[in-house]
Amino acid sequence: MKFSIQVNEGPYQHQASDSAYQFTKAALEKGHECFRVFFYHDGVLNGTRLTTPPQDDRNIVNNWTELAEKYDLDLVVCVAAAQRRGIVDDGEAERNGKDATNIAPRFRISGLGQLVEAAIQSDRLVVFGD
Amino acid sequence: MSETKNFMFLNRRAPYGTIYAWESLEVVLISAAFEQNVSLMFADDGVYELTKGQDTAGIGMKNFSPTYRTLGDYEVRHMYVDKASLEARGLTADDLVQVEWEDWETEESVDNIVEVVDSEKVAELLAESDVVFSF
């Protein structure tokens, strides 16, 4: 089955991102396909490489990056939500005159159309959030 | 991308207090460009999103409630409201905005696409949807 995943909450505060990660990993290991993971609302905060959890805790951002590397996952951060919450890549830094970037490896910033496209192209859109 | 699906946007949050309602509306507006069959469902505190006469001056937030009234121009065909959620909050259909819809090509029009439905119908509509966007 072809899945797309929507993550609506930030890391650590909520379990949504952990659950989305576990679900996506399990689905891929079972041979299913993941068309896209779309991060929306505070979910965009999963996409900052500046996250530094304590050493004995899981690193949710790195988990996503590593999963994306292993399975060539498309991790998309919503641009409008990202701008509100300070998630910045090179293009956004240039467009908005910011002095730094923080996007994590394998994540990319794009528009809401990517979510709608994912819903159309996939057999199931699975939403993780409150 | 020629495939047409039944999209249902399930709105369960009050319009203010969290950003879910506003950012959900942004997805609805974008989806108009994809020519899908788009419906919205308002349940739980989500029914407050459609209430008339919202005034946000006191909380320093943008009042985005007028946007709901324009959804007929964004290819939204149905806006359903869960009757039980409405009643539990002491509201009736008269407390809600009306949303007109018109097909510019056929001139077919509907005065108000906001419809109060019972729980059985809510379940049926959700089951019929190909995609449920939950906010």
Side-chain angles (χ1 to χ4, degrees):
Chain A
M1 185 170 280
K2 195 196 285 184
F3 289 102
S4 279
I5 308 296
Q6 183 180 341
V7 182
N8 286 343
E9 309 293 344
Y12 302 103
Q13 174 92 6
H14 289 263
Q15 201 180 331
S17 182
D18 290 284
S19 300
Y21 168 76
Q22 301 292 354
F23 178 92
T24 306
K25 186 165 173 279
L28 291 166
E29 283 168 356
K30 285 277 186 186
H32 295 290
E33 195 183 331
C34 181
F35 180 78
R36 181 168 292 148
V37 183
F38 192 85
F39 296 87
Y40 198 39
H41 303 305
D42 276 358
V44 301
L45 299 171
N46 287 287
T48 167
R49 65 171 185 269
L50 302 184
T51 299
T52 316
Q55 296 234 326
D56 60 353
D57 198 355
R58 74 237 185 268
N59 188 317
I60 298 173
V61 177
N62 288 355
N63 280 349
W64 280 115
T65 297
E66 285 161 17
L67 196 66
E69 270 165 9
K70 186 167 177 189
Y71 291 98
D72 196 23
L73 269 184
D74 190 18
L75 306 179
V76 178
V77 175
C78 168
V79 61
Q83 286 173 341
R84 289 190 177 109
R85 295 165 179 84
I87 303 297
V88 183
D89 64 7
D90 288 336
E92 283 298 299
E94 185 161 338
R95 263 189 296 283
N96 300 305
K98 301 297 178 186
D99 62 2
T101 68
N102 60 352
I103 191 91
R106 298 295 309 213
F107 286 78
R108 65 187 180 94
I109 295 178
S110 190
L112 274 172
Q114 300 273 306
L115 171 62
V116 179
E117 186 203 18
I120 295 169
Q121 296 293 335
S122 308
D123 300 312
R124 293 283 187 282
L125 174 72
V126 187
V127 184
F128 292 84
D130 242 0
Chain B
M1 237 183 333
S2 57
E3 194 180 350
T4 304
K5 286 188 172 180
N6 294 321
F7 275 18
M8 177 65 84
F9 288 87
L10 175 60
N11 299 281
R12 298 185 298 114
R13 315 298 177 94
Y16 308 99
T18 66
I19 200 169
Y20 296 105
W22 172 231
E23 286 190 334
S24 166
L25 199 47
E26 289 187 335
V27 186
V28 174
L29 299 177
I30 292 284
S31 71
F34 287 80
E35 296 183 349
Q36 304 295 301
N37 296 325
V38 178
S39 301
L40 277 64
M41 173 72 71
F42 297 84
D44 300 335
D45 277 349
V47 299
Y48 286 120
E49 293 178 30
L50 292 184
T51 52
K52 283 192 278 203
Q54 295 180 26
D55 178 2
T56 59
I59 55 170
M61 306 274 290
K62 178 167 142 186
N63 182 352
F64 59 88
S65 64
T67 310
Y68 291 103
R69 302 196 58 190
T70 69
L71 290 181
D73 301 330
Y74 285 91
E75 311 283 335
V76 174
R77 286 300 308 274
H78 299 283
M79 294 169 69
Y80 301 103
V81 181
D82 174 46
K83 189 162 181 261
S85 303
L86 208 55
E87 286 175 352
R89 287 159 183 80
L91 299 170
T92 69
D94 292 339
D95 297 305
L96 306 178
V97 295
Q98 299 201 344
V99 180
E100 275 180 40
W101 176 85
E102 188 178 354
D103 187 317
W104 300 107
E105 283 167 18
T106 63
E107 292 188 0
E108 181 193 353
S109 71
V110 180
D111 289 343
N112 185 17
I113 58 170
V114 177
E115 187 186 340
V116 178
V117 294
D118 63 23
S119 302
E120 210 171 303
K121 182 77 175 167
V122 171
E124 205 176 291
L125 289 164
L126 291 174
E128 282 170 4
S129 305
D130 296 310
V131 185
V132 179
F133 292 88
S134 183
F135 292 98

